[in-house]
Amino acid sequence: MQDNQPTLPVPVFDKVIVADQLRDGYWLEAPDINQDGKPDLFGYGLSLGEIYWYENDNWTRHLVVDGIHMPVGGDYADVSGNGYPDAIVCYDLYGPGGTLYDANPTGGKIDWIENPGRNLTSGVRWNRHYVGKTTGMHRLRAGHFTQEERLEIAGVPIVPHGNIHSLLPIVLFSAPEDVSTATEWPISTIDNSNFRLVHGAEKKRGLIPGSNRDSLLLASDEGVTWLYYDECAQRWQRVLIGEGERTQFQTTGFRGSGDLDVGRIGADSFAYVAAVEPFHGNTVAVYVKETLGQRPAEAKWKRFILDVFGDPNEKGEGPGHQIVCADFDGDGEDEFLVALRGPWPWQGVFYYKAIDVTKGIFTRWRVSDESVARIAVADFNGDGRLDFATIAYSVPKYFVAKEARIAVHRNVFAPSGVHDRGK
């Protein structure tokens, strides 16, 4: 680092335990469930079939629903229109074998789970409403992808029934006029001939030039792909950013990318893509444009490897599970977090800061040392700084954390009141 460059702030986060001694752990989101102006948490694992929300007071736990068979990916949105965010969850992915190699051919279902609003703490279970299904459903994102009048849910399977490396359909469910009484939502196909083993799916708004609609970023066998609906052409466009990790294929059977997110640098909201590669991978990489400000479809992208966390295990898997980009230090540029499930020393959260993004130069710090499956970003204590929350990875037949917890990591290093956008 040159002497005339400013000193980088060292990221420091104070940990607060939300829930300890979890019996399973996988998914985490941070909506304001009770609409009191403070982000709460909802989270769950795959085994118990119980979904809880944790109230941002003393992190009181409330049961949302139980008896849901193996919930996997989730999101939230105000589906009912009552002003409170509802949970949206896909479930019933696996067959009796309990792994991706045994997808349930009649599973892959999606429900939206209705937030009762003012009766949140009464102990009443939330009502489940069926959306639809596609075999192997593993990730979903709720937003406005093709229009802005009605909610849409993008459904992203990870595997079909049979060969886990076969082609998958990416689908879109469109909210019917009456979501409370509908028996199923209309479904259409976004893409059915280009994706295999999609593990990561991220929704982003503001990436489509001249539009405020949402678009999708997918991490798959093919690498890193941006999918967006072109309103003028009336069709979905696919932009391949990069092919991902290709050197491990002969020994692990996996290639491409496992999870991803888009980072902002200055005025460029699509300046770089950070990824963990391949599926359940050990490699952290960034894709950067030769020239900032170029449109993603027109830019030349270069891949830089930042870290390799250990060797793949006997299943061909590494510790990496999620990537999250956000402006934690408040300088107007995004940093990114990498969630590592373990085992030690490859577990916890690593924080990456761009030094020279066009040259792929980043610095990093470890900011958490416990197993992490998912990260949720929000200003949990209202001080104007972005914090993050984590849930441990505890999934039988994959990896079971020794100490499975949900924790909030409060930002204590950035100036208060600096951030003007969340995730």
Side-chain angles (χ1 to χ4, degrees), residues 113-397:
I113 308 172
E114 187 174 2
N115 186 332
R118 295 181 181 180
N119 299 319
L120 271 168
T121 58
S122 65
V124 176
R125 303 289 193 273
W126 297 19
N127 291 327
R128 291 169 59 179
H129 303 268
Y130 183 65
V131 172
K133 72 179 181 71
T134 294
T135 299
M137 192 70 68
H138 178 258
R139 294 287 184 261
L140 61 87
R141 289 298 173 204
H144 294 91
F145 300 97
T146 68
Q147 45 72 49
E148 298 186 54
E149 287 72 38
R150 290 189 179 178
L151 185 72
E152 297 167 316
I153 299 173
V156 185
I158 185 171
V159 291
H161 180 66
N163 190 329
I164 70 167
H165 298 290
S166 296
L167 289 167
L168 299 163
I170 312 300
V171 297
L172 191 71
F173 299 92
S174 301
E177 187 172 345
D178 189 341
V179 293
S180 297
T181 60
T183 57
E184 194 167 351
W185 289 24
I187 183 174
S188 59
T189 300
I190 296 174
D191 190 296
N192 64 0
S193 59
N194 290 287
F195 295 100
R196 308 168 196 267
L197 200 67
V198 185
H199 181 264
E202 187 57 54
K203 170 189 67 180
K204 283 285 187 175
R205 179 163 294 179
L207 299 184
I208 306 171
S211 173
N212 198 39
R213 288 178 288 108
D214 297 297
S215 58
L216 288 169
L217 287 127
L218 302 181
S220 69
D221 205 53
E222 288 66 39
V224 169
T225 306
W226 180 41
L227 268 180
Y228 71 96
Y229 186 76
D230 186 329
E231 200 166 17
C232 294
Q234 295 287 294
R235 64 186 179 91
W236 287 85
Q237 303 282 10
R238 188 180 74 257
V239 178
L240 181 65
I241 304 297
E243 294 184 340
E245 170 55 44
R246 314 286 288 185
T247 66
Q248 300 177 17
F249 180 72
Q250 295 300 322
T251 55
T252 68
F254 298 118
R255 66 185 186 193
S257 302
D259 202 76
L260 76 174
D261 203 356
V262 171
R264 170 187 290 273
I265 298 292
D268 191 341
S269 61
F270 208 138
Y272 69 90
V273 179
V276 60
E277 298 176 333
F279 165 79
H280 285 183
N282 63 350
T283 302
V284 177
V286 291
Y287 298 83
V288 301
K289 299 173 183 174
E290 285 188 358
T291 304
L292 290 180
Q294 289 182 312
R295 293 192 174 190
E298 300 166 357
K300 291 184 178 179
W301 295 86
K302 186 172 182 180
R303 178 177 182 260
F304 295 93
I305 296 176
L306 302 186
D307 276 305
V308 178
F309 292 118
D311 294 323
N313 62 18
E314 66 280 0
K315 298 179 181 178
E317 299 179 18
H321 201 250
Q322 192 194 10
I323 296 276
V324 176
C325 294
D327 182 8
F328 292 98
D329 62 11
D331 67 352
E333 299 185 350
D334 283 348
E335 297 73 48
F336 70 89
L337 303 180
V338 179
L340 302 180
R341 67 183 189 181
W344 182 262
W346 313 126
Q347 66 183 35
V349 177
F350 282 88
Y351 173 109
Y352 288 78
K353 173 72 178 177
I355 305 300
D356 187 335
V357 69
T358 59
K359 294 180 179 179
I361 301 174
F362 286 70
T363 188
R364 71 162 166 85
W365 295 263
R366 185 196 290 269
V367 291
S368 173
D369 59 8
E370 296 183 336
S371 172
V372 176
R374 298 289 300 182
I375 299 170
V377 175
D379 178 6
F380 289 104
N381 58 0
D383 66 356
R385 297 181 282 198
L386 284 179
D387 315 302
F388 69 94
T390 58
I391 188 169
Y393 192 107
S394 186
V395 180
K397 300 185 181 181

